[in-house]
Amino acid sequence: MSPSRQSHNRDRRRRRRTRDKFNAMPKYVVSTTLQHADWNNSTIIADDVPGRVRALRERENVIVWGSPTLVRMLMAENLVDEYVLLVSPIVLGQGKKTLPEDGTRHTLRIVEQRLLDGGMLALRMTPASV
């Protein structure tokens, strides 16, 4: 088997393992419009989001993926222990804002930084008070 074919097969196995792991883990979808979640192991959170997130944090790690509105709510409730931001070397000048615009200061401390393939920068930060 050629080296490129071996590499392709390795990547495919890695993607399959990642997919299977993600599909198996519990997922919580914060929504006021969805009635049910079709993805396996998914639960809808429709009300008392801060309270439900506090209860979840007692049992497990909570990861927010792709919801600026939810991030702002959790920041306001001091429910964020760690931020992982991916900074792209491309500036578009538009899009949804992740951080609150109310003037509240959130001082963060960088605990890890890593340059990824393609030039993207991964920053792992915690609130400076932690």
Side-chain angles (χ1 to χ4, degrees), residues 36-94:
H36 60 83
D38 295 331
W39 199 357
N40 60 319
N41 296 325
S42 295
T43 302
I44 302 290
I45 298 176
D47 57 1
D48 186 24
V49 174
R52 298 281 302 275
V53 170
R54 278 187 192 90
L56 283 171
R57 286 173 41 142
E58 295 292 322
R59 299 190 318 259
E60 57 195 280
N61 287 329
V62 176
I63 298 170
V64 175
W65 193 274
S67 177
T69 304
L70 179 58
V71 168
R72 286 191 300 272
M73 178 193 305
L74 298 176
M75 288 175 76
E77 296 286 332
N78 292 316
L79 291 172
V80 180
D81 297 321
E82 181 178 273
Y83 299 83
V84 178
L85 298 180
L86 300 176
V87 181
S88 174
I90 299 170
V91 177
L92 296 176
Q94 64 182 12

Side-chain angles (χ1 to χ4, degrees), residues 29-35 44-47 49:
V29 180
V30 175
S31 176
T32 56
T33 58
L34 290 177
Q35 299 300 312
I44 302 290
I45 298 176
D47 57 1
V49 174

Side-chain angles (χ1 to χ4, degrees), residues 2-16:
S2 72
S4 64
R5 185 71 177 156
Q6 287 174 338
S7 176
H8 173 76
N9 287 340
R10 261 193 317 273
D11 288 346
R12 214 167 143 184
R13 286 190 301 270
R14 187 182 71 236
R15 285 192 306 269
R16 188 178 312 123

